[in-house]
């Protein structure tokens, strides 16, 4: 039953965006809730890239049947139409890849979606759309990323350009990888640049992108290949820390910035389940049970959606004041990255059986595993 519920939740979030884009009416239909007036230039690419980054593993699945396959096929078609609408120069929904710094971020989320669905998205685009997409992604090169996790956005975009078969820049990837090696602080945590920030950016951006860049393009150079196992080992450790943050009641600490991304804070834990590198002491189904509790608590909070089904700014409900100046309606769709495990087949252990997660065991007075730092 949880799989059906996860799918329903994901489609509740996704349908307004993809249906509007397929009709080239996103700018007409989607409200723009923001503290700053300039966010209308960025919010639409935010919605598309972040949403597809979470949906992509499900869209990529083969072997589905029945109603779920009908839904997957329909949504994959809408997603490809959305990419066309976003990159076609004559589309009323053509998106901004070339003005301001923010498109550096959301071009990378769109690139991440392509990497996560190389057949269903990237592989089924016609040549016209591919040309427009490559041009759009390359147009972000005219801006300089900040000296922080933003280096990974440039690296992720170059990785997608490589997969698209166009001229890619290894230096942008190499620089991001080398700097994050310098910024690794230990015990599964990276700095956001040289400084440590106590927030969820290790899961929003840093570790998911590091892992998928290296899994995709690591074999191109021996030093990247050698780095890959360490990056995954660190990611697994941080995923274990994330699992322990989920309380018995399905809550987690509202620490740091970008809390309006809601359960997107657990992208890394979801990715660990999807790619099957969870630590041995964490069973896949306990991750499902923990995340189901979190998602239900947040998505069912009054005010999460407006009356037309668009997300509202908030952590648990409608809480506009927690939206920083860079947050707008499109930003909120990063929450979709929690749904990565929908890329696992229905027979996978992730979807079967009930299991208590670590904090639920601990606060119930039953045995649970001791936490140990990554040496």
């Amino acid at each position: 039953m949880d799989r059906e519920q996860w799918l329903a939740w994901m489609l509740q979030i996704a349908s307004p965006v993809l249906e509007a884009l397929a009709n080239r009416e996103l700018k007409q239909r989607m409200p723009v809730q923001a503290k700053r007036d300039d966010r209308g230039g960025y919010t639409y690419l935010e919605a598309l890239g972040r949403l597809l980054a979470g949906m992509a593993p499900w869209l990529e699945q083969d072997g589905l049947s029945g109603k779920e396959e009908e839904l997957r096929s329909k949504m994959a078609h809408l997603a490809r139409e959305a990419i066309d609408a976003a990159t076609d120069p004559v589309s009323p929904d053509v998106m901004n890849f070339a003005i301001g710094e923010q498109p550096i971020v959301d071009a990378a989320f769109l690139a991440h979606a392509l990497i996560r669905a190389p057949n269903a998205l990237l592989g089924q685009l016609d040549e016209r759309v591919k040309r427009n997409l490559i041009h759009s992604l390359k147009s972000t090169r005219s801006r300089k990323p900040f000296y922080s996790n933003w280096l990974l956005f440039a690296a992720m975009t170059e990785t997608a350009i490589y997969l698209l078969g166009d001229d890619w820049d290894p230096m942008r990837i190499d620089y991001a990888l080398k700097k994050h090696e310098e910024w690794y602080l230990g015990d599964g945590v990276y700095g956001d640049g040289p400084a440590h920030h106590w927030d969820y950016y290790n899961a929003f951006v840093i570790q998911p992108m590091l892992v998928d860049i290296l899994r995709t393009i690591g074999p191109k150079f021996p030093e990247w290949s050698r780095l890959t196992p360490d990056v995954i080992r660190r990611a697994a450790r941080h995923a274990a820390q994330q699992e322990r943050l989920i309380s018995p009641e399905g809550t987690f600490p509202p620490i740091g910035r970008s809390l309006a991304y809601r359960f997107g804070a657990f992208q890394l834990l979801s990715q660990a389940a999807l790619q099957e590198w969870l630590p041995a002491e964490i069973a896949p189904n306990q991750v499902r049970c923990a995340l189901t509790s979190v998602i239900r608590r947040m998505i069912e909070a009054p005010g999460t959606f407006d009356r037309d089904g668009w997300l509202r700014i908030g952590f648990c409900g409608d809480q506009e004041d927690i939206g920083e100046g860079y947050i707008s309606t499109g930003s909120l769709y990063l929450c979709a990255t929690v749904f990565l495990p929908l890329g696992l087949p229905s027979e996978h252990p992730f979807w079967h059986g009930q299991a208590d997660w670590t904090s639920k065991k601990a606060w119930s007075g039953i045995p649970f595993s001791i936490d140990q730092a990554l040496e």
Side-chain angles (χ1 to χ4, degrees):
M1 290 296 294
D2 279 352
R3 182 180 178 88
E4 288 77 12
Q5 181 63 79
W6 277 47
L7 182 56
W9 283 332
M10 185 180 73
L11 295 180
Q12 180 182 7
I13 292 166
S15 293
V17 176
L18 294 186
E19 289 171 2
L21 264 172
N23 289 305
R24 302 197 170 194
E25 295 177 348
L26 183 67
K27 293 181 181 179
Q28 177 182 331
R29 294 190 202 175
M30 191 177 91
V32 181
Q33 183 189 15
K35 289 183 177 178
R36 284 173 27 191
D37 293 339
D38 67 336
R39 302 322 288 178
Y42 311 124
T43 196
Y44 306 107
L45 181 56
E46 288 184 304
L48 175 63
R50 296 167 187 225
L51 173 64
L52 291 185
M55 293 185 73
W58 178 68
L59 297 175
E60 185 72 357
Q61 266 209 86
D62 55 15
L64 294 176
S65 60
K67 181 64 174 176
E68 186 173 349
E69 172 53 24
E70 290 178 18
L71 287 168
R72 189 210 63 80
S73 180
K74 173 187 174 183
M75 299 308 286
H77 173 74
L78 292 179
R80 294 189 293 269
E81 291 290 302
I83 293 170
D84 185 10
T87 58
D88 182 355
V90 301
S91 166
D93 276 337
V94 65
M95 295 181 183
N96 169 28
F97 288 82
I99 300 171
E101 285 84 16
Q102 184 64 40
I104 299 171
V105 178
D106 294 296
F109 283 114
L110 179 57
H112 206 167
L114 300 174
I115 287 166
R116 285 172 166 169
N119 298 310
L121 293 183
L122 187 151
Q124 295 190 45
L125 298 175
D126 66 33
E127 289 305 312
R128 176 188 60 82
V129 180
K130 281 186 181 179
R131 287 194 302 271
N132 289 337
L133 178 57
I134 290 167
H135 174 77
S136 297
L137 294 177
K138 281 187 166 183
S139 69
T140 64
R141 290 175 174 174
S142 62
R143 264 72 39 72
K144 182 177 73 68
F146 297 116
Y147 192 61
S148 67
N149 73 80
W150 279 49
L151 297 182
L152 288 167
F153 298 136
M156 179 60 76
T157 299
E158 293 302 318
T159 304
I161 292 169
Y162 161 79
L163 285 183
L164 282 158
D166 207 83
D167 182 34
W168 62 289
D169 183 358
M171 185 178 292
R172 293 172 190 260
I173 298 173
D174 194 57
Y175 185 61
L177 295 176
K178 283 185 166 62
K179 295 313 296 186
H180 280 83
E181 276 299 284
E182 291 180 17
W183 296 337
Y184 179 63
L185 302 175
D187 199 22
V189 176
Y190 293 84
D192 190 353
H196 174 239
H197 295 177
W198 198 329
D199 55 30
Y200 293 102
Y201 269 79
N202 266 259
F204 286 145
V205 172
I206 295 169
Q207 305 222 37
M209 288 198 175
L210 276 173
V211 168
D212 279 349
I213 288 167
L214 285 168
R215 281 168 54 98
T216 302
I217 207 166
K220 294 293 292 184
F221 294 98
E223 63 268 35
W224 294 359
S225 290
R226 289 193 294 269
L227 180 60
T228 303
D230 283 340
V231 166
I232 293 176
R233 197 156 37 241
R234 296 164 189 167
R237 168 59 182 154
H238 195 61
Q241 293 163 342
Q242 286 212 299
E243 191 269 349
R244 286 174 179 261
L245 287 176
I246 300 172
S247 78
E249 299 78 25
T251 63
F252 62 98
I255 294 171
R257 64 191 181 99
S258 301
L259 291 175
Y261 300 159
R262 293 184 171 91
F263 33 77
F266 292 97
Q267 176 179 192
L268 185 65
L269 180 57
S270 290
Q271 184 172 346
L274 172 71
Q275 296 176 347
E276 299 184 310
W277 37 262
L278 284 168
E281 69 273 15
I282 300 177
N285 61 352
Q286 82 184 60
V287 173
R288 186 198 84 242
C289 292
L291 291 177
T292 299
S293 180
V294 171
I295 298 166
R296 176 174 285 111
R297 191 174 186 98
M298 301 184 92
I299 204 169
E300 294 180 355
T304 299
F305 300 93
D306 71 11
R307 63 183 181 182
D308 295 318
W310 302 95
L311 287 169
R312 296 278 300 171
I313 293 173
F315 176 70
C316 188
D318 186 356
Q319 299 160 310
E320 188 169 11
D321 287 346
I322 71 148
E324 294 93 342
Y326 56 85
I327 295 291
S328 66
T329 301
S331 316
L332 312 179
Y333 288 84
L334 188 59
C335 70
T337 56
V338 80
F339 297 112
L340 296 176
L342 282 168
L344 294 168
S346 59
E347 62 270 18
H348 191 279
F350 181 88
W351 298 112
H352 294 278
Q354 296 298 310
D356 290 341
W357 51 99
T358 302
S359 287
K360 195 167 185 180
K361 294 174 184 175
W363 289 99
S364 297
I366 62 176
F368 67 101
S369 59
I370 295 174
D371 193 38
Q372 296 189 0
L374 181 65
E375 296 297 334

